[in-house]
Amino acid sequence: VCSSDLMWTNKQDDCDTVEGERKTDADPYAVVFTVPGEADNKHDVGATKDTTYTYRLRCKKGDAYSDYSNEVSGNPKK
């Protein structure tokens, strides 16, 4: 197990939480973290070496969710 660092700009400053999902080519999206709404980064310690992941985020406020962010892909090498 290794890690992947994610950083973003939250354009919805009134989020209660930010929910992050990831997928691989073989697996569908699944929630892998939830952070406070003011967060702008997350260290994904569950990432596996030499596996390409695609991530997306969304804001949660109360019971409502925003649209998903753009997707970003990466491959932790260590």
Side-chain angles (χ1 to χ4, degrees):
V1 175
C2 61
S3 66
S4 183
D5 291 321
L6 305 170
M7 291 186 271
W8 60 88
T9 300
N10 191 343
K11 295 182 180 180
Q12 293 185 265
D13 60 3
D14 60 346
C15 292
D16 294 331
T17 59
V18 174
E19 184 176 272
E21 297 182 354
R22 79 170 180 216
K23 70 174 186 163
T24 64
D25 289 339
D27 297 310
Y29 274 109
V31 175
V32 290
F33 65 84
T34 301
V35 294
E38 66 277 0
D40 63 0
N41 68 85
K42 175 64 177 160
H43 191 69
D44 184 3
V45 296
T48 303
K49 181 180 177 182
D50 290 332
T51 300
T52 298
Y53 295 101
T54 301
Y55 294 89
R56 66 183 182 185
L57 306 172
R58 65 181 176 172
C59 167
K60 183 177 182 194
K61 183 173 182 180
D63 292 331
Y65 288 92
S66 70
D67 292 336
Y68 284 105
S69 67
N70 293 334
E71 296 177 332
V72 63
S73 296
N75 184 333
K77 300 292 184 185
K78 298 180 181 182

